[in-house]
Amino acid sequence: MIGYLVRTTLGDAGYSWFEYLLHNPTLGFRWLVEYHGHWVMTRTAPGVPDTTAGGVSYQGVDYRHFSTAKAKVVAVVGEFPWTPRVDERAVVEDYVAPPRMLSSERTPQETTWSTGEYVDGRTVWTAFGLKDSPPERIGVGAAQPSPYAAAGRPMFLLTCAFIAAAVLVHLLFSVLSQQRLVADVIGEYRPGAADSALVVSEPFSLGGRTSNVMVEVSTDLSNRWAYFTLTLVNEDTGLAKTFGREVGYYFGRDSDGSWSEGANWDRAYLPSVVSGSYVLLVEPEGPSPVVWRVRLTRDVPRPMWLWLALGAMLVPPIFFLWRRAAFESRRWSESDHTSSKDDDDD
Amino acid sequence: MIKAYLVFGGLVLAALTWTHYTGWGPSNVTEEKVKSVRNNPGSYRSAYGGRSYTGAK
């Protein structure tokens, strides 16, 4: 290292950065620039970048404009290829394409372009054999590579693969499952009529592996309700599964127009029903007569599980995108292109 | 994060396959042992009897 200088931007919210000039007889000059614990190794860029819509393009890489500031030299020590002086002023522009950075330094006499790449502080400390630790990083550096950049494509592909696999699993079960109608019981309930209060189905068989049973209750209810107590009895074991379903359907018209509430049918699933011989008991209740029908279908894949699985699978990618956006937000909070300076430090 | 997602997604897929295969699901089912249905249908009423629904409108 042969030289060191400090620059500060002009204005109320001025900030400083530090430039270390390195020289190697073979490689020539290099600058190590440090700001808030973020290091960029730069060198003079041959040629002039092309101006693009949001920044510049240089050697096939598009750089986005990050900041423009007037700066002055406030301290200088060592040897330089020119004679820097304290209070020497220039307009400094930074463009970024992490981990690359392109900067211009414009004075009334000339414009100098330099190209650089982000360097981890520990690399600098190791290279110079320095003890202790490099200064702690504050915020996100303008050219600091995002830790999420490399994972974006694998995350996207993995999400697509998981969604495709989940849909495939559901489709396979939809095709291969029994979905067999095992009981179809029809009845008419009349309040106070004892013979309509309980209906027992003919025995039926539930075959195959332990799986669910879909229960569908349909009625002729209209602005009424009914409650059905259903009992599925395993004749082999004597075990009875009892559950209740309310069916209610109301509609009408008011000042806001027509409305409706509920439905005259209902659907439920009995989980993990073992195979065997069964009967179904149906016990309707209600204030008015109702014609009802209860159908049992064996082994029906529930779409609800597919939707839940898809929702769960999307949580990590959404979290990933949020973290990546937050990282970029912290980066650009230091730029000229930000609406807030309130982001937390990294 | 990718490795964690691999594990998480694999577990979700396994859970989806398991629920589809076994028909597992949350339910509000009471399970009790009753006497023979075929011989004495009225006997099950004791399994769920004594309750009367008073809800709805």
Side-chain angles (χ1 to χ4, degrees):
Chain A
M1 187 182 77
I2 60 172
Y4 164 77
L5 61 81
V6 182
R7 291 182 197 260
T8 298
T9 57
L10 306 178
D12 294 338
Y15 56 90
S16 301
W17 68 92
F18 309 92
E19 301 182 4
Y20 302 85
L21 180 60
L22 315 178
H23 181 256
N24 178 288
T26 307
L27 298 174
F29 294 103
R30 297 285 187 276
W31 289 94
L32 255 181
V33 182
E34 188 265 335
Y35 171 69
H36 278 182
H38 299 281
W39 298 81
V40 178
M41 175 81 96
T42 71
R43 62 187 175 123
T44 302
V48 177
D50 298 322
T51 302
T52 60
V56 294
S57 175
Y58 180 70
Q59 293 186 339
V61 178
D62 290 327
Y63 293 80
R64 284 180 65 191
H65 178 260
F66 192 80
S67 64
T68 299
K70 288 181 180 176
K72 66 178 181 181
V73 176
V74 293
V76 56
V77 178
E79 296 180 34
F80 294 86
W82 83 103
T83 309
R85 300 180 189 283
V86 170
D87 206 38
E88 186 177 276
R89 298 176 182 221
V91 175
V92 180
E93 289 187 348
D94 288 329
Y95 299 85
V96 295
R100 297 191 183 96
M101 184 174 220
L102 196 64
S103 302
S104 78
E105 194 175 311
R106 192 168 70 243
T107 65
Q109 290 75 38
E110 64 175 352
T111 298
T112 306
W113 287 90
S114 59
T115 178
E117 189 161 335
Y118 190 87
V119 183
D120 191 285
R122 286 165 298 192
T123 305
V124 176
W125 249 239
T126 302
F128 286 93
L130 299 174
K131 295 177 181 176
D132 301 326
S133 303
E136 193 174 334
R137 292 191 294 199
I138 299 172
V140 174
Q144 183 178 348
S146 169
Y148 307 101
R153 185 171 169 77
M155 181 64 82
F156 173 75
L157 293 176
L158 208 50
T159 304
C160 293
F162 278 140
I163 289 174
V167 171
L168 185 65
V169 165
H170 183 73
L171 288 177
L172 273 177
F173 276 96
S174 298
V175 170
L176 299 176
S177 59
Q178 296 180 45
Q179 300 189 62
R180 186 168 63 90
L181 182 69
V182 291
D184 190 351
V185 187
I186 299 173
E188 182 176 0
Y189 170 71
R190 299 179 304 281
D195 62 334
S196 69
L198 174 66
V199 175
V200 182
S201 76
E202 290 296 315
F204 57 88
S205 174
L206 293 180
R209 67 177 193 282
T210 297
S211 60
N212 65 9
V213 172
M214 182 174 74
V215 181
E216 292 174 296
V217 180
S218 53
T219 69
D220 66 346
L221 288 169
S222 177
N223 277 321
R224 288 175 294 149
W225 65 268
Y227 187 82
F228 295 85
T229 300
L230 302 158
T231 304
L232 187 65
V233 184
N234 186 329
E235 289 192 307
D236 303 328
T237 64
L239 281 174
K241 292 175 182 287
T242 303
F243 59 101
R245 305 300 300 179
E246 179 195 337
V247 182
Y249 180 50
Y250 297 88
F251 57 87
R253 176 175 283 276
D254 58 18
S255 58
D256 295 328
S258 59
W259 59 270
S260 67
E261 181 182 326
N264 58 8
W265 61 274
D266 183 58
R267 180 180 294 153
Y269 292 84
L270 284 177
S272 304
V273 182
V274 298
S275 60
S277 179
Y278 286 83
V279 291
L280 176 70
L281 282 68
V282 183
E283 187 186 25
E285 294 175 55
S288 51
V290 56
V291 177
W292 55 264
R293 181 181 190 183
V294 176
R295 298 198 303 169
L296 303 187
T297 308
R298 173 66 157 168
D299 191 15
V300 182
R302 298 184 66 176
M304 177 185 80
W305 294 125
L306 174 64
W307 296 121
L308 283 177
L310 293 179
M313 285 170 173
L314 288 175
V315 170
I318 290 171
F319 179 70
F320 170 83
L321 290 175
W322 173 70
R323 292 291 303 267
R324 189 172 73 174
F327 184 89
E328 292 301 322
S329 175
R330 291 204 301 276
R331 180 202 308 283
W332 290 94
S333 68
E334 296 286 332
S335 76
D336 292 347
H337 310 280
T338 179
S339 57
S340 170
K341 296 274 187 183
D342 299 333
D343 292 302
D344 295 335
D345 291 337
D346 193 23
Chain B
M1 181 143 190
I2 295 294
K3 284 182 182 174
Y5 187 37
L6 259 174
V7 173
F8 176 77
L11 288 175
V12 172
L13 269 181
L16 176 67
T17 306
W18 182 75
T19 52
H20 272 15
Y21 186 80
T22 63
W24 180 88
S27 70
N28 198 12
V29 173
T30 305
E31 197 160 11
E32 291 182 78
K33 191 140 188 161
V34 298
K35 294 177 182 175
S36 168
V37 176
R38 206 174 290 176
N39 296 335
N40 185 7
S43 65
Y44 329 103
R45 296 183 71 90
S46 61
Y48 59 90
R51 295 183 288 112
S52 183
Y53 182 73
T54 55
K57 296 195 176 182

